[in-house]
Structures are given as C-alpha cells and as structure tokens.
Amino acid sequence: MISNSKSFPIILLIMSIGLTTTLSYSQTKKKKYKDESEKLDCAKNTKINLQQRLANYPYNETSQIKLIAYQNKREGIIGEEIQEYLNSCIGKEAVAIESQFDEIKALNFNQIEKLTDIIYNYGYKAKTSLGVASKCYEPRNAILFYDNTSRLIAFIEVCFGCRNYRTNDSKITFGRFIQKLNMIKGLFDENG
C-alpha cells in the first residue's frame, strides 16, 4: 500500500494534466464552417477597383463585350459545335459571326463593372482541401470580347451544367470559377 505522502504528488500531477487539457480545449476557437464544402461558397475577397480591373487583358483591348447563347445547329455532341465555332471566329468581325448565335446581348458600362467585379474580387470563402470535378462539358454560352474594329479578340466559353469554362487565351484569368458561375449565370439571366 502506498502512503498518502507518496501518492499526493501523483494525484497533483494528474489533476494538473486534466486542468491543462480542459483549458486548452476551452481556448480553441470554434470552427467557422460546418464542413469543407461550405468554404467553396463565393465571397468578396478583394477590392480591386474598376480602373485596375479594366487594365487587364482582354478588357484593356476591348471596346465591346457581349453575352451569347448558342444551340447546336447539327447533330453531335452538345457543346462541341460552339467550341469549334468560337475557335474559328477569333479575328473575324462581329457581323460575320453573330448570325449563328441564338441570343446576343451587348453589355453596358454598369454590367461590365459588375462582370469584372465578379471575376476579380470574388473567390472561395476560405481555403479548402476539396477538389471539384467536372461532370460534363457542354457549353452553350460565352462572353465575347471585341476590339474597336468589331473583331473578336477573346472569349470565355461557359458550361453552366458542370460549372466549367474555357478561354481562347491563357492571359485571361478567371480565378476560382466554380461558385462565381452562379453570379455569372445571374448576369446572363438579367440579360435574357
């Protein structure tokens, strides 16, 4: 049997470990997000002003931006036709290419401000370890950039189904696109 004088330091050690553990748990911050997927939601992360946004390519070489909708004109894989068509349209004048689109809407200054704000100032709420996989790529919409001679200089092709996009030039940045797509879709919806 252990005497009381020898067991006192052991009891004191056990109590101090328990107290330290309790204090460290009570001082940890509560998680801000319920799960990793919540971090993928879109949030305004930066405040890049309009002048800075418009200094980037293709906005710095653009005199007009248009939203388009496109449906396949021939049988085949949905979206494949628009990809081929847009690739062939770079450098051509608007009047030569736009007859193939089902819907076209030119953006005004306020809409361009909104578009660039979404592209440059929004991103994921927080850094996440989740990856996002595409299910399909069947684009039916695009954002077209025309220069001051009405020639198509750039495009951002969009598939709202799988939330993915493609551009004709690697200089076109879009950031983390996944959740921005809902905001971009809203811009398309506002414009019919």
Side-chain angles (χ1 to χ4, degrees):
M1 193 173 214
I2 301 175
S3 70
N4 283 343
S5 63
K6 290 183 180 179
S7 64
F8 182 71
I10 295 171
I11 292 171
L12 192 57
L13 179 66
I14 293 171
M15 286 177 59
S16 66
I17 291 172
L19 183 60
T20 304
T21 305
T22 304
L23 286 175
S24 67
Y25 280 122
S26 66
Q27 292 178 1
T28 58
K29 292 182 178 180
K30 292 181 180 179
K31 287 184 177 180
K32 190 175 180 179
Y33 304 101
K34 291 184 276 184
D35 58 30
E36 283 292 304
S37 65
E38 194 175 321
K39 293 178 182 179
L40 293 174
D41 290 343
C42 218
K44 193 162 192 167
N45 297 334
T46 58
K47 293 181 180 177
I48 300 170
N49 69 41
L50 180 61
Q51 184 178 2
Q52 292 170 314
R53 297 188 310 250
L54 294 178
N56 294 302
Y57 181 81
Y59 308 96
N60 61 345
E61 296 181 20
T62 299
S63 64
Q64 191 169 45
I65 300 174
K66 295 183 180 182
L67 304 179
I68 62 104
Y70 185 91
Q71 295 294 324
N72 279 13
K73 308 297 183 232
R74 60 182 192 263
E75 287 193 31
I77 299 170
I78 295 171
E80 191 174 87
E81 194 174 314
I82 188 175
Q83 293 176 61
E84 293 170 5
Y85 190 66
L86 286 176
N87 289 340
S88 72
C89 290
I90 294 297
K92 292 184 180 175
E93 289 186 29
V95 292
I97 64 173
E98 291 183 354
S99 64
Q100 295 299 308
F101 302 134
D102 298 309
E103 296 177 59
I104 304 167
K105 176 68 177 186
L107 297 183
N108 63 35
F109 181 78
N110 291 334
Q111 293 164 328
I112 292 169
E113 184 176 14
K114 186 175 181 178
L115 173 68
T116 59
D117 186 43
I118 293 167
I119 291 172
Y120 288 100
N121 290 324
Y122 283 82
Y124 290 143
K125 274 187 181 176
K127 194 172 187 174
T128 180
S129 59
L130 291 179
V132 182
S134 297
K135 298 174 190 166
C136 68
Y137 189 67
E138 299 175 345
R140 295 180 182 98
N141 299 90
I143 303 167
L144 306 181
F145 301 88
Y146 293 95
D147 68 9
N148 59 3
T149 63
S150 296
R151 293 189 184 279
L152 182 66
I153 59 167
F155 64 80
I156 301 171
E157 181 183 85
V158 181
C159 177
F160 290 120
C162 68
R163 298 177 174 216
N164 209 344
Y165 73 100
R166 177 181 77 100
T167 67
N168 67 301
D169 194 316
S170 61
K171 292 186 288 187
I172 301 172
T173 58
F174 217 91
R176 297 292 202 157
F177 187 71
I178 299 300
Q179 295 304 326
K180 288 182 189 184
L181 187 65
N182 291 337
M183 299 173 80
I184 298 292
K185 188 174 186 317
L187 190 61
F188 272 84
D189 290 343
E190 287 172 20
N191 288 285

